[in-house]
Amino acid sequence: MKPYISVITLGVEDLERSLRFYREGLGFKTEGIVGEEYEYGAVVFIQLVSGLKLALWPRKSISHDTGLALTPASATAFTLGHNVASAQEVDHVMAQALSAGARVIKPAHETFWGGYAGYFQDPDGHVWEVVWNPAWVVEVA
């Protein structure tokens, strides 16, 4: 298997609320909710970079589709990293997320490894790290 991921799906409790957070709050481009004509089919797709998509799908739909029991969500199961080109951009994104309704769980700060980063949670508790790593070149799409 080639290490290629094309979609990252976040399980959400309220699809409309999550759509508002990501589209209006963070400015992510999306056609909105599609698939509502199918039971358990309503989903939001957000185009990211390099062909990668972020999907927002109700947790109950994921449970139904996979056959797995609906269990409590865990904020520490994984994080999403949003790398930016400067420490100032970290501050800007963190402020944008906060104004969109995110919960800042660790304000932006200088890291032990020489970068600058902060963490926020979206309305469903998914953890985002906004980070500037001086050793990485961030390509702006």
Side-chain angles (χ1 to χ4, degrees):
M1 180 171 138
K2 292 182 181 181
Y4 177 79
I5 296 174
S6 55
V7 178
I8 296 172
T9 302
L10 300 180
V12 301
E13 293 300 326
D14 182 331
L15 192 55
E16 291 279 347
R17 178 187 68 187
S18 293
L19 173 60
R20 283 190 307 276
F21 177 79
Y22 284 98
R23 182 169 57 191
E24 283 103 50
L26 297 184
F28 288 10
K29 295 189 184 328
T30 176
E31 294 180 20
I33 299 173
V34 298
E36 291 181 287
E37 66 273 24
Y38 306 106
E39 185 175 14
Y40 302 105
V43 63
V44 170
F45 292 108
I46 298 165
Q47 186 63 53
L48 301 176
V49 295
S50 303
L52 181 62
K53 290 187 187 314
L54 179 68
L56 309 173
W57 200 23
R59 294 179 68 241
K60 65 181 180 183
S61 297
I62 294 172
S63 173
H64 174 80
D65 200 50
T66 63
L68 294 170
L70 191 58
T71 60
S74 171
T76 58
F78 71 96
T79 67
L80 296 163
H82 179 67
N83 284 268
V84 296
S86 69
Q88 295 79 17
E89 194 173 350
V90 171
D91 290 334
H92 173 76
V93 172
M94 291 293 291
Q96 182 179 10
L98 180 62
S99 69
R103 177 175 167 246
V104 173
I105 55 175
K106 189 170 189 180
H109 62 284
E110 292 184 11
T111 65
F112 69 90
W113 46 267
Y116 189 74
Y119 289 94
F120 70 83
Q121 286 180 295
D122 74 4
D124 287 283
H126 299 110
V127 176
W128 284 77
E129 179 187 25
V130 183
V131 60
W132 169 64
N133 182 336
W136 288 6
V137 174
V138 175
E139 294 182 27
V140 179

